[in-house]
């Protein structure tokens, strides 16, 4: 033991001589009594050989009960958990070398001849034997580091037999392991007081440092601790610990391992009196990974970058301390590298230890209503399907799908809006109409294939509200989806554990959305105005553009903001974990500023400020400037835009139609009524009647189509369209059917041109359209009704009638 070793310099030759003499006398006596003959020596040797070969040496020497430890990409510790014995015992790490200061202090204190002896120091053993015999004590001391490893394997009582066992084990250990391995085993399993095992945990908990940052004083304190680990806590023991440390420092000075100045400085340092908690980064992620990976290896190396993690954690905390005053208590964020998919920051809540606001909930994994977050994928895929281009007009008028009638957030309609504007302003009605055209099943399966894991219900069950927040999503999946958009429609899992195998290589993965459509969509999302003109990022925007989208769930329970650049995918959620709504909650104003603060804080490459245009994937296309559809013969202005090469053909503009008019353009004419050289063909933009009606209601002047010439020998213009049934001011008797329900009434219209599409409105509510055969069945309630029918070029008729319910009673 070290205490004996310490006394070595003081031991005089005299004492040694006395001991040798005593030993000689014992041997002499043994020989005189004929005890030490050849036979007995052989028996003794045989006994030793049997003993040695029967010594058990477990493999591994120590049961692998280590603290699960979560590391960042570079090996920095993010979080440590207790092991099964409720101890802090960090797993041995291949990538860590024992720092020089600690190594020198430990060797100087415990075992100066460690590198020279075969596991046992014979000289100090004999000396200790003599001292113990002469003082009548149980065998102690003279343990080498190897012998201590043997004892740490199985802590045993200090008896002569156990000492012999330890010696044998030590010799065996030396045969099986290198000196470096033995030294590390000692340091990794020595007790350091409290429930701290091993130098790594001791360094972190007593000094809040990695071992390589220890000072001489700290290294010396750690060197002496395993000897008497009890010295750490009580105040009185602290002085003993200090004295012990200082003695070792003196020895280091005497051996010229440290110089006088270092020695004096070291003496000034305090010794620790208690341990402190580990610092914690990405605690939610660590918890998640620990639950998954405990059996495999105690070391979990993640893709997190500690500095980025820390910065994002600070920003989330900062923003939430402001939002907290508005009654918004929780927030989460994720920052992922666009190209590699490696997660660099994972913030599950504003504060893991915030008990009042459920800080332990992991907001990255919590499923919440998506708000408008799914819209960009519908728009992008609709481009591939040839349904839209960014310039194509989508109807934004009151719309009914059965009982479902979507409304825009500001409860206003815009008549006709280009797809790009509809997406940037996140209008609900155009998005629902688009989903209706695109197909709910088709979209549902696209989302699942892209990596959305929270669609637990059927497509039918979600229905059209899916696109405006009808489904729940989580921050993790949304990051997968937006990253896919940034990677040309290739959707891949994110990477969070450093050594995990990559599931799919990008080269073998097909694009779910074409790179061209993704690029056009990202360009649309780039136009979204950044929150608040007062922010400095208005100027910043041009240098570091970001394609971003916000989402606010129904009832203002969730605010989302997700942004993508060629380098980063950043996703932010704020709200309340308990689901409480808040009138202040909105994606752009609550989640947006945090998103941009995170984006601004991340490292960027000036060579990669915006996505590279997929030149080979885009081709020029001539479209109608007014409507965005493929330019037709009647379109007045045409422009060339870029469209994905692989997209399905888009429709020819059907809003521009040509009509024949008289010279003054006051009347339409036809071959029956035009006069030679007194007519011309003009092109007119003719919106569908529901749009026209909506715009007219809002007081907008619509360039209308002139009426047909009254001089025309053909049917009068008023008769172009006529409601045949019901007639004006009539009473309809509505009987019950066989099923007991009121029967539907079939209404009829005649139109001069059969191919015209008619739009039907009952009491100002759109009830459907008809073509070729103009009949429509409707359920009526008791009372007055107005039926109005309009065709595409504005011809209309309306009838007012009364519905009476006829009971089938006599
Ligand atoms: Zn056109
Ligand atoms: Zn005519």
């Amino acid at each position: 033991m070290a205490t004996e070793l310490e006394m070595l310099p003081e031991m005089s030759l005299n004492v040694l001589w006395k001991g040798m003499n005593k030993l000689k006398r014992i041997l002499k006596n043994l020989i005189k009594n004929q005890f030490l003959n050849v036979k007995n020596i052989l028996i003794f040797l045989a006994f030793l050989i049997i003993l040695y070969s029967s010594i058990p040496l477990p493999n591994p020497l120590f049961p692998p009960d280590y603290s699960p430890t979560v590391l960042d990409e570079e090996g920095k510790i993010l979080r440590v958990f207790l092991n099964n014995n409720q101890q802090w015992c960090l797993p041995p790490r291949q990538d860590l070398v024992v720092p020089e200061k600690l190594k020198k202090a430990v060797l100087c204190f415990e075992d100066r001849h460690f590198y020279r002896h075969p596991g046992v120091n014979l000289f100090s053993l004999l000396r200790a034997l003599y001292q113990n015999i002469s003082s009548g004590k149980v065998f102690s001391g003279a343990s080498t580091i190897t012998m201590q490893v043997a004892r740490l394997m199985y802590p045993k009582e200090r008896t002569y037999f156990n000492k012999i066992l330890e010696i044998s084990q030590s010799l065996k250990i030396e045969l099986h392991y290198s000196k470096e391995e033995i030294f590390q085993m000692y340091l990794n399993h020595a007790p350091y007081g409290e429930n701290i095992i091993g130098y790594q945990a001791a360094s972190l908990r007593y000094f809040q440092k990695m071992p390589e940052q220890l000072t001489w004083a700290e290294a010396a304190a750690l060197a002496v601790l395993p000897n008497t680990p009890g010295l750490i806590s009580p105040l009185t023991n602290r002085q003993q610990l200090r004295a012990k440390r200082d003695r070792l420092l003196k020895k280091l000075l005497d051996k010229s391992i440290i110089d006088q100045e270092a020695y004096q400085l070291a003496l000034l340092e305090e010794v620790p009196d208690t341990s402190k908690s580990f610092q914690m980064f990405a605690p939610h992620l660590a918890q998640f990974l620990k639950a998954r990976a405990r059996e495999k290896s105690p070391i979990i190396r993640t893709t997190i970058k500690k500095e980025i993690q820390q910065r994002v954690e600070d920003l989330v905390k900062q923003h939430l301390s402001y939002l907290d005053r508005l009654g918004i208590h929780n927030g989460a964020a994720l920052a992922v590298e666009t190209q590699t998919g490696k997660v660099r920051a994972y913030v599950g809540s504003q504060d893991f230890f915030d008990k009042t606001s459920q800080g332990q909930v992991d907001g990255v994994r919590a499923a919440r209503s998506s708000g408008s977050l799914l819209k960009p994928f519908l728009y992008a895929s609709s481009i591939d399907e040839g349904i839209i281009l960014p310039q194509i007009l989508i109807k934004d008028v009151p719309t009914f799908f059965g009982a479902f009638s979507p409304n825009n957030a500001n409860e206003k309609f815009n008549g006709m809006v280009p797809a790009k504007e509809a997406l940037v302003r996140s209008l609900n009605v155009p998005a629902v109409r688009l989903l209706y055209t695109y197909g709910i099943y088709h979209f549902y399966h696209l989302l699942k294939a892209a990596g959305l894991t929270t669609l637990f219900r059927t497509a039918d069950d979600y229905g059209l509200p899916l696109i405006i927040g009808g489904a729940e999503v989580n921050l993790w999946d949304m990051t997968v989806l937006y990253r896919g958009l940034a990677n040309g429609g290739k959707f891949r899992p994110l990477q969070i554990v450093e050594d995990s195998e990559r599931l799919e290589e990008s080269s073998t993965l097909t694009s779910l959305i074409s790179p061209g459509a993704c690029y056009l969509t990202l360009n649309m999302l780039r136009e979204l105005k950044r929150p608040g003109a007062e922010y400095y990022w208005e100027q910043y925007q041009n240098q570091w553009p970001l394609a971003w989208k916000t989402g606010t769930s129904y009832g203002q329970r969730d605010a989302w903001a997700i942004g993508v650049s060629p380098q980063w995918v950043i996703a932010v959620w704020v709200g309340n974990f308990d689901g409480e709504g808040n009138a202040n909650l909105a994606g752009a104003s609550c989640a947006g500023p945090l998103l941009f603060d995170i984006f601004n804080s991340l490292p960027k490459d000036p060579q990669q400020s915006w996505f590279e245009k997929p030149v080979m994937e885009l081709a020029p296309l001539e479209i109608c400037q007014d409507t965005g559809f493929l330019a037709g013969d009647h379109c007045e202005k045409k422009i060339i835009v870029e469209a994905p090469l692989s997209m399905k053909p888009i429709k020819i503009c059907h809003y521009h139609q040509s009509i024949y008019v008289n010279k003054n353009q006051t009347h339409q004419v036809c071959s029956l009524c035009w006069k030679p050289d007194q007519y011309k063909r003009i092109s007119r933009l003719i919106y569908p009647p529901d749009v026209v009606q909506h715009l007219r209601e809002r007081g907008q002047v619509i360039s209308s189509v002139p009426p047909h010439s009254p001089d025309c020998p053909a049917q009068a213009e008023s008769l172009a369209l006529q409601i045949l049934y019901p007639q004006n001011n009539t009473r309809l008797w509505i009987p019950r059917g066989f099923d007991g329900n009121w029967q539907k009434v079939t209404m009829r219209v005649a139109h001069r041109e059969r191919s015209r599409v008619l739009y039907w409105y009952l009491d100002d509510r759109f009830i459907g359209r008809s073509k070729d055969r103009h009949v429509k069945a409707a359920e009526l309630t008791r009372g007055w009704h107005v039926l109005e029918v309009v065709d595409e070029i504005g011809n209309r008729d309306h009838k007012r009638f009364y519905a009476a319910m006829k009971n089938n009673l006599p």
Side-chain angles (χ1 to χ4, degrees):
M1 272 294 271
T3 39
E4 274 71 32
L5 210 91
E6 273 174 22
M7 288 155 71
L8 195 65
E10 294 98 61
M11 208 166 87
S12 66
L13 269 176
N14 193 20
V15 176
L16 200 68
W17 188 244
K18 263 190 198 164
M20 293 289 272
N21 277 340
K22 200 170 178 180
L23 212 64
K24 221 157 80 185
R25 242 179 290 133
I26 293 171
L27 284 173
K28 244 182 200 166
N29 280 338
L30 285 175
I31 293 166
K32 208 158 71 190
N33 295 339
Q34 302 234 310
F35 190 75
L36 210 67
N37 55 28
V38 177
K39 192 181 144 208
N40 280 354
I41 288 172
L42 282 178
I43 288 171
F44 183 68
L45 281 178
F47 168 74
L48 278 184
I49 289 166
I50 291 166
L51 186 74
Y52 179 75
S53 53
S54 63
I55 297 297
L57 206 58
N59 184 28
L61 291 186
F62 294 89
D65 181 18
Y66 298 108
S67 295
T69 306
V70 182
L71 306 177
D72 87 339
E73 194 200 26
E74 290 164 0
K76 292 174 191 154
I77 292 176
L78 298 176
R79 192 173 172 188
V80 181
F81 297 90
L82 285 165
N83 71 1
N84 293 327
N85 281 326
Q86 301 303 305
Q87 291 163 325
W88 300 111
C89 178
L90 270 70
R93 278 168 63 180
Q94 309 282 334
D95 58 333
L96 286 189
V97 279
V98 177
E100 257 337 271
K101 285 176 188 167
L102 184 63
K103 189 172 186 173
K104 283 180 173 152
V106 170
L107 288 177
C108 184
F109 181 72
E110 292 280 2
D111 189 353
R112 273 190 294 133
H113 306 290
F114 176 65
Y115 284 97
R116 290 188 290 275
H117 62 61
V120 177
N121 188 339
L122 210 58
F123 173 73
S124 58
L125 205 63
L126 287 174
R127 175 168 51 81
L129 182 68
Y130 160 73
Q131 282 175 346
N132 280 284
I133 289 172
S134 54
S135 65
K137 274 195 292 187
V138 186
F139 205 123
S140 71
S143 281
T144 61
I145 284 177
T146 320
M147 284 163 73
Q148 298 201 50
V149 169
R151 190 162 65 240
L152 289 169
M153 273 161 43
Y154 311 106
K156 0 184 195 309
E157 270 185 63
R158 294 189 173 186
T159 63
Y160 280 97
F161 176 76
N162 282 342
K163 201 72 178 182
I164 293 169
L165 197 70
E166 267 170 37
I167 290 168
S168 315
Q169 282 175 331
S170 300
L171 295 173
K172 244 186 167 170
I173 290 170
E174 290 275 346
L175 277 179
H176 281 85
Y177 298 93
S178 72
K179 283 284 183 191
E180 264 341 294
E181 285 170 326
I182 296 167
F183 189 64
Q184 292 233 12
M185 270 191 271
Y186 167 71
L187 280 184
N188 277 315
H189 299 93
Y192 283 87
E194 300 185 359
N195 57 345
I196 298 169
I197 306 291
Y199 77 109
Q200 290 182 66
S203 171
L204 285 161
R205 287 190 75 87
Y206 292 133
F207 303 111
Q208 291 76 55
K209 298 178 172 179
M210 287 300 283
E212 59 268 21
Q213 296 161 323
L214 292 174
T215 64
W216 277 112
E218 290 161 346
L222 285 192
V224 302
L225 259 180
N227 200 252
T228 36
L231 289 187
I232 200 72
S233 37
L235 288 172
T236 47
N237 289 352
R238 215 174 146 203
Q239 292 315 311
Q240 287 180 45
L241 176 63
R242 189 173 191 140
K244 224 168 165 184
R245 178 199 72 178
D246 292 351
R247 271 208 298 283
L248 175 57
L249 286 170
K250 179 74 173 44
K251 208 146 100 186
L252 289 166
L253 175 68
D254 293 344
K255 300 260 174 246
S256 302
I257 295 171
I258 57 174
D259 59 21
Q260 185 66 33
E261 194 190 347
Y263 173 67
Q264 293 298 341
L265 280 172
L267 289 182
L268 296 176
E269 287 185 36
E270 284 292 322
V271 291
D273 54 353
T274 181
S275 66
K276 299 206 176 61
S277 309
F278 286 105
Q279 273 189 297
M280 245 193 226
F281 299 95
H284 300 83
L285 172 67
Q287 196 96 24
F288 176 77
L289 292 177
K290 179 198 152 201
R292 267 199 345 183
R294 186 147 203 172
E295 283 73 35
K296 284 186 195 159
S297 156
I299 298 178
I300 305 159
R301 195 181 273 249
T302 66
T303 56
I304 296 292
K305 280 187 190 277
K306 192 175 163 187
E307 288 72 30
I308 293 179
Q309 173 72 27
Q310 207 165 346
R311 224 175 296 156
V312 178
E313 277 181 17
D314 288 347
L315 285 171
V316 172
K317 194 172 275 190
Q318 210 174 299
H319 278 255
L320 260 298
S321 72
Y322 162 73
L323 292 171
D324 197 65
R325 280 174 264 156
L326 305 175
I328 301 159
H329 307 300
N330 302 112
L334 209 55
V336 175
E337 275 178 13
T338 306
Q339 289 185 7
T340 62
K342 290 186 176 183
V343 180
R344 297 308 193 192
Y346 184 117
V347 184
S349 79
Q350 69 290 347
D351 181 1
F352 191 74
F353 297 104
D354 182 352
K355 276 201 182 125
T356 45
S357 297
Q358 297 166 281
Q360 299 208 4
V361 173
D362 185 352
V364 171
R365 306 271 170 187
R368 316 280 311 191
S369 163
S370 68
S372 299
L373 287 188
L374 300 175
K375 285 177 185 168
F377 306 95
L378 176 62
Y379 281 75
S381 195
S382 293
I383 293 177
D384 280 337
E385 290 298 316
I387 303 169
I388 56 160
L389 278 174
Q391 298 82 0
I392 279 181
L393 296 181
I394 307 179
K395 274 195 211 174
D396 182 17
V397 293
T399 309
F400 297 86
F401 298 96
F404 175 54
S405 168
N407 208 337
N408 292 321
N410 64 1
E411 300 185 355
K412 284 182 185 145
F413 301 93
N414 303 280
M416 294 290 251
V417 278
K420 176 174 162 180
E421 190 190 331
L423 177 60
V424 168
R425 291 174 57 198
S426 204
L427 299 174
N428 287 336
V429 178
V432 173
R433 295 189 74 105
L434 191 55
L435 180 58
Y436 181 77
T437 311
Y438 182 91
I440 174 75
Y441 291 99
H442 191 176
F443 187 56
Y444 176 84
H445 291 295
L446 171 77
L447 293 176
K448 280 204 153 179
L452 202 57
T453 59
T454 50
L455 293 178
F456 300 117
R457 289 149 57 192
T458 62
D460 268 337
D461 219 7
Y462 287 114
L464 295 172
L466 175 65
I467 197 63
I468 53 171
E472 293 197 325
V473 298
N474 63 39
L475 213 54
W476 181 273
D477 287 355
M478 289 323 297
T479 309
V480 173
L481 262 66
Y482 275 81
R483 180 178 165 242
L485 205 58
N487 279 339
K490 291 182 176 175
F491 295 85
R492 276 167 289 165
L494 306 180
Q495 193 189 353
I496 189 70
V497 178
E498 194 46 75
D499 49 359
S500 71
E501 296 156 25
R502 301 304 348 241
L503 291 175
E504 285 158 297
E505 275 311 311
S506 59
S507 51
T508 62
L509 210 64
T510 51
S511 292
L512 292 179
I513 301 173
S514 75
C518 287
Y519 181 73
L520 294 182
T521 307
L522 290 167
N523 276 341
M524 290 195 256
L525 294 176
R526 179 182 173 164
E527 307 275 313
L528 198 59
K529 267 193 115 117
R530 299 192 179 198
E534 71 271 26
Y535 286 94
Y536 62 91
W537 53 56
E538 279 292 314
Q539 312 112 355
Y540 200 76
Q541 179 156 12
N542 294 328
Q543 197 191 350
W544 301 112
L546 192 68
W548 70 297
K549 181 80 195 79
T550 58
T552 309
S553 70
Y554 182 76
Q556 286 168 292
R557 293 188 175 90
D558 307 274
W560 307 84
I562 302 184
V564 281
S565 79
Q567 281 181 283
W568 293 104
V569 185
I570 306 154
V572 166
W573 170 87
V574 297
N576 289 317
F577 284 146
D578 61 14
E580 198 191 320
N582 188 302
N584 296 308
L585 205 59
S589 61
C590 296
L594 176 54
L595 168 73
F596 280 95
D597 271 354
I598 293 172
F599 181 54
N600 294 343
S601 80
L602 294 173
K604 292 178 203 72
D605 174 7
Q607 306 297 318
Q608 269 197 310
S609 65
W610 191 244
F611 298 94
E612 208 177 301
K613 189 197 269 188
V615 186
M616 305 301 288
E617 304 277 346
L618 296 168
L621 192 68
E622 192 181 43
I623 60 167
C624 169
Q625 192 182 24
D626 293 322
T627 68
F629 286 95
L630 200 63
D633 295 340
H634 313 312
C635 299
E636 289 164 319
K637 295 177 212 147
K638 301 169 184 183
I639 50 165
I640 306 281
V641 296
E642 283 177 314
L645 204 57
S646 56
M647 81 184 284
K648 292 183 184 164
I650 58 168
K651 281 190 198 162
I652 293 175
C653 174
H654 51 283
Y655 293 127
H656 277 113
Q657 297 183 0
S658 69
I659 50 174
Y660 291 95
V661 289
N662 59 8
K663 239 183 172 175
N664 304 329
Q665 299 192 19
T666 52
H667 289 100
Q668 282 190 63
V669 290
C670 65
S671 59
L672 294 174
C673 61
W674 67 41
K675 293 171 187 142
D677 303 328
Q678 297 284 306
Y679 68 94
K680 56 182 174 181
R681 199 169 87 161
I682 58 166
S683 182
R684 273 289 162 89
L685 183 64
I686 301 170
Y687 283 138
D690 48 355
V691 173
V692 172
Q693 179 174 314
H694 172 76
L695 293 177
R696 206 173 273 143
E697 278 166 15
R698 288 180 60 195
Q700 289 189 24
V701 181
I702 308 299
S703 66
S704 56
V705 180
H708 205 91
S709 167
D711 304 333
C712 184
Q715 288 171 293
E717 190 267 331
S718 63
L719 290 177
L721 183 163
Q722 195 177 17
I723 296 174
L724 301 176
Y725 182 83
Q727 287 297 309
N728 226 8
N729 294 320
T730 51
R731 174 179 294 243
L732 309 185
W733 285 103
I734 300 176
R736 282 191 194 273
F738 292 115
D739 56 1
N741 292 325
W742 298 110
Q743 282 190 355
K744 286 184 177 179
V745 172
T746 303
M747 301 176 288
R748 289 166 200 285
V749 173
H751 198 287
R752 193 173 47 193
E753 294 168 57
R754 270 174 61 93
S755 64
R756 284 287 180 205
V757 177
L758 303 191
Y759 297 80
W760 298 62
Y761 297 85
L762 186 64
D763 304 323
D764 283 340
R765 196 165 65 81
F766 178 68
I767 57 167
R769 67 193 78 195
S770 63
K771 201 180 169 188
D772 296 338
R773 191 167 165 266
H774 300 303
V775 293
K776 189 131 304 250
E779 256 174 63
L780 296 174
T781 53
R782 186 192 305 273
W784 282 100
H785 297 281
V786 175
L787 174 69
E788 183 167 35
V789 179
V790 193
D791 75 2
E792 293 153 301
I793 56 168
N795 292 316
R796 58 182 61 223
D797 189 13
H798 76 272
K799 296 282 190 293
R800 186 167 176 271
F801 57 91
Y802 188 84
M805 302 309 179
K806 182 181 185 180
N807 281 310
N808 291 1
L809 296 169

